[in-house]
Structure formats: structure tokens, C-alpha cells
Amino acid sequence: GLGDVYKRQISIINDQKSLLIRTEDEIGEFKHTVFNLQGAPITSTLENNINISHLYKGIYFLESIDSKGQKQISKFLKS
């Protein structure tokens, strides 16, 4: 299955060089994966700071999954 939709708020600060990810409660470990518009994974990390300076301009998705398998998908623009 795809897991449960994430119920806690995740916010992204995008300065076009990196994504800084903040979670509502900052508790637990999250796996963050960046996908391109075609759905192919670009990069994956457990860190809350993702370097996106190498990405081409366009629309991307960030999938954040917690240790219980709950996930949230956010869209961001690299310009």
C-alpha cells in the first residue's frame, strides 16, 4: 500500500539552492525523497536540508515519510 497520508504539518523553505524541511513536532526520523515530474526519484535523505542546486528548473515533488509509514507529498518549484 501507499501508507497513510501524513497528518502533521510539514513546511518547506525553498531558497533555490536547498530545501529546509520543518516538521510540526520535530519528533522522529523522516525519510525525504525528491521526485521529478515523471515520478522518478532524484535524491533521498534522512536529513532535513536537501541540496537542490544541481536540479534543472521545473516542478518537483518532495515525499516525506515518518517511521510509522505516514507520508506527505509537497510540490515545489526550482527556478
Side-chain angles (χ1 to χ4, degrees), residues 35-40 42 58-61 75:
F35 293 90
N36 66 16
L37 204 51
Q38 291 75 37
I42 303 294
I59 298 171
Y60 294 88
F61 296 94
K75 182 168 65 170

Side-chain angles (χ1 to χ4, degrees), residues 19 31-45 50-63 76 78:
L19 298 178
K31 179 181 178 185
H32 305 289
T33 305
V34 174
F35 293 90
N36 66 16
L37 204 51
Q38 291 75 37
I42 303 294
T43 187
S44 189
T45 184
I50 302 173
N51 180 355
I52 61 167
S53 63
H54 64 286
L55 297 180
Y56 293 109
K57 293 178 181 181
I59 298 171
Y60 294 88
F61 296 94
L62 175 70
E63 177 186 73
F76 69 93
K78 173 69 164 82

Side-chain angles (χ1 to χ4, degrees), residues 8 23 25-30 48 66-67:
R8 290 174 280 178
T23 58
D25 54 15
E26 301 289 335
I27 296 173
E29 187 173 88
F30 292 82
N48 284 339
D66 71 9
S67 58

